[in-house]
C-alpha cells in the first residue's frame, strides 16, 4: 500500500526552510536532568550549550526543550511562574540566547514547551487573584467558584484532578475567611486559566512572540486540548461526564471545538515569521479529532501516542502506522512518532516486562491520566517494588532498539527522549523521600509517578554523579548507570549510542518523500516496508529467526546472524 500525500511533492526536501519539521528527528531535553554546569545538582541552560557538540554528533535536527521557566517545580516545571523568563537556577535570558545561538550554529532547531492550560499558583496573576475580591477582574483570569453546602465548604463539584484528589482547592480570602474554590485539573499549584478572558488570550500571544523573536523555531503545546471550558451554573458529577477522549467534543473541558479558535489566532502569529514557526500539540483526544490540531490553520502537527501505548507486536504496530499515515495524509501535516518522553516509563523497560501489568487493559486516553502513562507502562512493575525477575533488561533493550530503528525509517517526525540513545532503563530505585512527582504524592500506593524516567543523565562512569554534576543530583542515579554512561559507549561500535548516531545520520541521507509501501511477508511476526529510493526496514517482532530478503544490509539494531535470517527483536535497514 502506498500512502501518497497531496502536498508531498514540495515537502520532502529536508532543507526546505518552511518544512524542516516534517521529517525532523526531535530530541527532547528535560533541562533539570540534562547537564549541570554550576554544581548545584540541577541541570541548566549553559549545560545544554556545553553539550551542543554531543547533540550535533548524535545527528538530531531539533531540540524540544521542556519548561525552563521560573517555577517552584510542583510539577517538574509545568507549573510556570513567569512565561517570559528563565528559572534563575537554570540560567538567564542571556544564557538562553547563547544556547539558541549555539544550537543554530550546529544546525539544530529549537522547540520550546508552552504551558497554556494553567499557570503556577505563584504567577503574579494568581497572586493578584487571591488578593482581590470574588467577582473581580483579577479572579476572572482563572476559574473561581463558590463552594457548595453550608458555608461553601464543599467543592463546587466532585471532579478529580489528573494527579488524584479533588480538582478544586479552597482559598483564604484577603480578610482571612475561608473563601472561594479554584479549578486545577492538575496539581493544586497549577490553577487553570480562564480562556474566555481576553487578557489571558492576549498575554499568550505576547509570550509566543517573545520567544519567536528570540529565534525559537517552534512550540510544543502542553495539554493543548484543555484550554477552553464550558462550565454551566450547576456542574454535573464526574460520573455523568464523558471520557477525556470523547468522540464528539461534548466534554465540558477537554477537546472542545472552541479551542481551535485559539490556535487559529496562534497560527497567524506563527506565520508572521519567516520561516513560520512550527507547533506540535500534546492532545490526548479521540483519534478522529486529532486532525484539527494538526491542520495548517491550527498548530500544524499533533502527537500521536499510538506506538507509545502499543505492545511490541507486529499487528499493533502496523495498524497504528497505517492509521496515522492515512490521518496525516488527510490533514497534510506530517506524522509524529514517539516511544518515550518525560511522562512515561522508558520503552526499553516497558518492552522488557515479562508480565503484562494489569493496567494494560485500560486504553490510555480514557483513563483520564495521560501523563501518568496509564497503559502498558510498567507502572505496576514499579509499584510492586520493581522485582528484577519481572524485567528482562536485555530483551527490553533489544526490542526498544528494534522499535526505534523502525520508527526512524517511518515518514514523519521522530520524537526522541534524552537518555534513550544510551539505552537507559527506568530508574526504579528512587526512595520515596526523594521522589518529586505530584502524581506520586497525590496517589499514595496507586501511582509511582514519573521520576524514574527523569533521573539525570550519566555522562561518564568515573566522576561524581556520573559526570552530570559535581554534587548530588536532584534525583538519585542508580549504580547500573556505570555501564551505560555516554563516554563508556563512545568506543563501542555496537553500543546503543552509536546505533542512534548511525541511524540518525543514515536517516538524513535516505529521507525522501513521505511515502511508505508495505511489503507482505509470510511470517506475521515480521513487518517490512519500503521507502522511496529502495530503503527497506524489516523488523522481526517474534522470538525465532525469520528469513531475510536478498539485499544489502545497511544497519541493524542488533547483530545479524550472517545466515540470511533476521534474529528475534531486531530491525534491519536494507537496500533491496
Ligand atoms: C503534560 C506534561 C506533563 C505535565 C502536564 C501538566 O501532560 O507532559 O508532564 O505534568 O502536562 O502540565
Ligand atoms: Ca545547575
Amino acid at each position: 500500500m502506498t500512502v501518497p500525500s497531496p502536498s508531498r511533492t514540495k515537502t520532502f526536501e529536508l532543507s526546505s526552510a518552511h518544512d524542516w519539521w516534517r521529517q525532523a528527528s526531535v530530541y527532547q531535553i528535560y533541562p533539570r536532568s540534562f547537564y549541570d554546569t554550576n554544581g548545584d545538582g540541577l541541570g541548566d541552560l549553559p549545560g545544554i550549550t556545553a553539550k551542543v557538540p554531543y547533540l550535533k554528533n548524535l545527528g538530531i535536527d531539533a531540540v524540544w526543550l521542556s519548561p525552563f521557566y521560573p517555577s517552584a517545580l510542583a510539577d517538574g516545571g509545568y507549573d510556570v511562574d513567569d512565561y517570559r523568563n528563565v528559572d534563575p537556577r537554570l540560567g538567564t535570558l542571556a544564557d538562553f540566547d547563547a544556547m539558541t545561538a549555539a544550537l543554530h550554529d550546529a544546525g539544530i532547531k529549537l522547540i520550546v514547551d508552552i504551558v497554556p492550560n494553567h499557570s503556577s499558583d505563584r504567577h503574579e496573576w494568581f497572586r493578584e487573584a487571591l488578593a482581590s475580591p470574588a467577582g473581580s477582574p483579577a479572579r476572572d483570569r482563572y476559574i473561581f467558584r463558590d463552594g457548595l453546602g453550608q458555608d461553601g465548604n464543599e467543592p463546587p463539584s466532585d471532579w478529580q484532578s489528573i494527579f488524584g484528589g479533588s480538582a478544586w482547592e479552597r482559598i483564604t480570602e484577603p480578610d482571612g475567611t475561608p473563601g472561594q474554590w479554584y479549578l486545577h485539573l492538575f496539581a493544586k499549584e497549577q490553577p487553570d486559566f480562564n480562556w474566555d478572558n481576553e487578557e489571558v488570550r492576549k498575554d499568550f500571544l505576547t509570550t509566543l512572540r517573545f520567544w519567536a523573536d528570540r529565534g525559537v523555531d517552534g512550540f510544543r503545546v502542553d495539554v493543548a486540548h484543555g484550554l477552553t471550558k464550558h462550565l454551566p451554573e450547576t456542574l454535573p458529577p464526574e460520573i455523568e461526564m464523558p471520557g477525556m477522549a470523547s468522540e464528539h467534543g461534548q466534554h465540558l473541558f477537554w477537546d472542545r471545538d472552541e479551542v481551535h479558535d485559539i490556535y487559529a489566532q496562534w497560527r497567524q502569529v506563527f506565520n508572521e515569521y519567516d520561516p513560520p514557526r512550527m507547533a506540535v500539540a500534546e492532545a490526548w483526544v479521540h483519534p478522529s479529532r486529532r486532525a484539527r490540531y494538526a491542520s495548517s490553520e491550527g498548530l500544524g502537527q499533533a502527537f500521536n501516542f499510538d506506538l507509545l501505548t502499543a505492545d511490541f507486536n507486529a499487528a499493533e504496530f502496523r495498524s497504528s502506522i497505517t492509521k496515522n499515515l492515512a490521518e496525516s495524509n488527510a490533514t497534510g501535516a506530517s506524522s509524529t512518532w514517539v516511544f518515550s518522553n518525560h511522562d512515561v516509563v522508558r520503552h526499553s523497560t516497558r518492552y522488557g516486562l515479562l508480565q503484562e501489568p494489569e493496567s494494560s487493559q485500560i486504553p490510555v486516553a480514557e483513563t483520564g491520566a495521560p501523563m501518568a502513562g496509564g497503559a502498558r507502562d510498567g507502572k505496576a512493575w514499579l509499584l510492586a517494588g520493581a522485582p528484577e525477575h519481572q524485567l528482562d533488561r536485555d530483551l527490553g533493550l533489544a526490542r526498544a532498539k528494534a522499535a526505534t530503528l523502525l520508527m526512524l525509517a517511518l515518514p514523519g517526525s521522530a520524537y526522541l527522549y534524552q537518555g534513550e540513545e544510551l539505552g537507559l532503563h527506568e530508574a526504579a530505585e528512587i526512595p520515596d523521600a526523594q521522589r518529586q512527582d505530584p502524581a506520586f504524592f497525590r496517589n499514595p500506593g496507586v501511582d509511582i509517578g514519573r521520576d524514574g524516567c527523569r533521573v539525570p543523565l550519566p555522562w561518564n562512569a568515573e566522576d561524581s554523579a556520573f559526570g552530570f554534576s559535581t554534587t548530588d543530583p536532584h534525583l538519585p542515579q542508580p549504580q547500573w548507570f556505570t555501564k551505560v554512561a555516554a563516554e563508556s559507549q563512545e568506543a563501542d561500535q555496537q553500543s546503543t549510542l552509536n546505533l542512534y548516531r548511525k541511524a540518525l545520520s543514515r536517516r538524513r541521507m535516505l529521507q525522501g518523500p513521505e511515502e511508505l509501501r508495505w511489503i507482505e511477508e509470510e511470517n506475521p511476526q515480521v513487518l517490512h516496508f519500503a521507502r522511496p529510493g529502495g530503503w527497506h526496514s524489516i523488523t522481526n517482532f517474534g522470538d525465532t529467526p525469520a528469513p531475510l530478503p536478498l539485499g544489502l544490509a545497511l544497519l541493524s539494531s542488533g547483530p545479524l546472524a550472517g545466515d540470511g535470517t533476521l534474529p528475534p527483536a531486531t530491525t534491519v535497514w536494507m537496500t533491496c
Side-chain angles (χ1 to χ4, degrees):
M1 183 196 75
T2 303
V3 186
S5 157
S7 46
R8 292 301 132 88
T9 37
K10 64 170 171 64
T11 58
F12 88 88
E13 300 155 53
L14 277 182
S15 54
S16 149
H18 283 217
D19 290 341
W20 66 266
W21 51 273
R22 294 191 66 93
Q23 301 206 69
S25 314
V26 186
Y27 180 86
Q28 181 190 355
I29 291 186
Y30 191 74
R32 292 172 184 85
S33 297
F34 190 64
Y35 183 54
D36 173 24
T37 54
N38 64 348
D40 65 353
L42 217 52
D44 41 51
L45 299 190
I48 299 172
T49 310
K51 294 292 182 189
V52 165
Y54 173 86
L55 298 171
K56 186 178 164 83
N57 205 1
L58 187 57
I60 52 157
D61 301 302
V63 160
W64 147 28
L65 183 58
S66 279
F68 51 88
Y69 314 104
S71 166
L73 303 185
D75 181 22
Y78 286 87
D79 45 322
V80 178
D81 295 354
D82 176 356
Y83 290 87
R84 300 192 281 272
N85 215 334
V86 173
D87 186 333
R89 288 168 296 181
L90 268 60
T92 60
L93 280 169
D95 292 328
F96 182 89
D97 294 341
M99 175 194 72
T100 310
L103 287 168
H104 284 166
D105 284 349
I108 300 171
K109 308 273 189 201
L110 176 62
I111 298 170
V112 298
D113 221 308
I114 205 90
V115 189
N117 181 66
H118 42 264
S119 71
S120 92
D121 60 350
R122 309 196 314 174
H123 191 285
E124 64 167 327
W125 275 0
F126 194 72
R127 294 195 223 196
E128 199 186 324
L130 292 185
S132 308
S136 60
R139 288 234 174 140
D140 188 59
R141 299 186 190 115
Y142 293 90
I143 300 172
F144 281 89
R145 281 281 172 114
D146 293 332
L148 303 179
Q150 237 190 350
D151 305 326
N153 50 15
E154 281 164 38
S157 72
D158 67 348
W159 301 349
Q160 293 292 293
S161 103
I162 294 286
F163 292 148
S166 174
W168 297 96
E169 183 73 16
R170 193 168 200 188
I171 65 158
T172 303
E173 296 293 343
D175 65 4
T177 57
Q180 286 196 299
W181 300 70
Y182 65 88
L183 181 71
H184 60 89
L185 294 179
F186 293 87
K188 73 174 175 20
E189 295 85 356
Q190 294 167 297
D192 281 59
F193 276 121
N194 170 18
W195 274 88
D196 287 337
N197 181 293
E198 266 313 306
E199 260 185 293
V200 170
R201 290 192 184 224
K202 277 208 192 112
D203 197 61
F204 269 90
L205 299 181
T206 308
T207 295
L208 296 174
R209 287 198 178 95
F210 179 85
W211 295 110
D213 288 344
R214 291 196 108 84
V216 153
D217 304 283
F219 298 90
R220 178 260 186 193
V221 183
D222 189 66
V223 196
H225 58 312
L227 280 47
T228 51
K229 294 167 178 97
H230 170 69
L231 302 189
E233 212 29 59
T234 309
L235 302 174
E238 179 119 12
I239 196 155
E240 282 174 21
M241 305 224 277
M244 177 185 276
S246 137
E247 208 172 332
H248 306 293
Q250 295 306 311
H251 200 284
L252 295 185
F253 43 85
W254 297 126
D255 189 28
R256 295 186 60 80
D257 288 335
E258 308 93 83
V259 80
H260 297 288
D261 300 341
I262 296 171
Y263 300 135
Q265 234 185 347
W266 288 20
R267 174 46 59 193
Q268 285 175 10
V269 172
F270 300 150
N271 289 351
E272 287 166 9
Y273 293 85
D274 182 23
R277 297 330 189 210
M278 64 78 75
V280 55
E282 184 214 24
W284 291 85
V285 299
H286 192 274
S288 64
R289 297 184 50 89
R290 212 150 44 202
R292 277 189 80 182
Y293 294 87
S295 97
S296 58
E297 284 89 52
L299 294 175
Q301 200 180 46
F303 282 121
N304 88 72
F305 296 110
D306 300 357
L307 285 186
L308 181 149
T309 55
D311 279 333
F312 186 75
N313 171 292
E316 273 194 56
F317 268 56
R318 180 163 174 166
S319 91
S320 4
I321 293 167
T322 305
K323 265 194 282 177
N324 283 289
L325 290 179
E327 198 181 289
S328 62
N329 186 34
T331 58
S334 67
S335 285
T336 57
W337 312 104
V338 54
F339 290 119
S340 279
N341 63 32
H342 66 298
D343 288 332
V344 295
V345 171
R346 288 186 177 276
H347 64 299
S348 46
T349 300
R350 283 200 313 265
Y351 291 153
L353 288 176
L354 300 175
Q355 271 168 352
E356 275 280 289
E358 265 174 32
S359 62
S360 72
Q361 300 316 317
I362 310 167
V364 172
E366 280 157 32
T367 60
M371 59 296 317
R376 300 183 181 105
D377 65 0
K379 212 158 59 180
W381 170 74
L382 286 163
L383 275 170
E388 282 297 315
H389 64 269
Q390 280 186 20
L391 175 70
D392 183 334
R393 288 179 179 260
D394 294 340
L395 176 66
L397 180 56
R399 287 176 169 174
K401 291 195 288 188
T404 300
L405 204 56
L406 178 157
M407 166 172 91
L408 291 176
L410 291 172
S413 311
Y415 284 84
L416 309 168
Y417 177 52
Q418 70 179 37
E420 68 169 87
E421 78 279 18
L422 305 177
L424 295 192
H425 274 281
E426 191 77 0
E429 311 81 342
I430 303 173
D432 288 0
Q434 280 174 277
R435 289 203 174 265
Q436 300 175 1
D437 188 358
F440 169 74
F441 294 111
R442 295 182 67 95
N443 286 289
V446 179
D447 192 339
I448 195 77
R450 301 161 293 178
D451 297 312
C453 65
R454 299 175 175 183
V455 168
L457 290 190
W459 292 100
N460 66 49
E462 301 83 40
D463 295 337
S464 73
F466 299 96
F468 164 75
S469 175
T470 51
T471 188
D472 285 345
H474 69 103
L475 275 172
Q477 297 158 302
Q479 260 322 308
W480 51 262
F481 266 16
T482 322
K483 286 182 263 168
V484 289
E487 266 176 47
S488 339
Q489 297 197 32
E490 283 290 337
D492 174 6
Q493 276 314 302
Q494 307 311 317
S495 68
T496 308
L497 178 58
N498 280 317
L499 172 69
Y500 269 71
R501 286 177 178 159
K502 289 176 206 164
L504 287 162
S505 88
R506 287 244 172 213
R507 170 183 158 91
R508 274 192 175 168
M509 291 182 311
L510 294 167
Q511 201 69 274
E514 292 167 47
E515 288 166 16
L516 176 151
R517 180 167 53 91
W518 290 108
I519 314 273
E520 300 306 334
E521 293 285 339
E522 262 169 38
N523 184 340
Q525 304 285 358
V526 173
L527 278 195
H528 181 174
F529 59 85
R531 298 286 307 276
W535 175 20
H536 288 241
S537 173
I538 310 166
T539 305
N540 182 359
F541 285 83
D543 46 24
T544 53
L548 268 181
L550 284 179
L552 177 69
L554 301 171
L555 185 63
S556 61
S557 65
L560 292 180
D563 62 356
T565 65
L566 182 60
T570 306
T571 293
V572 63
W573 287 357
M574 300 182 82
T575 49
C576 302

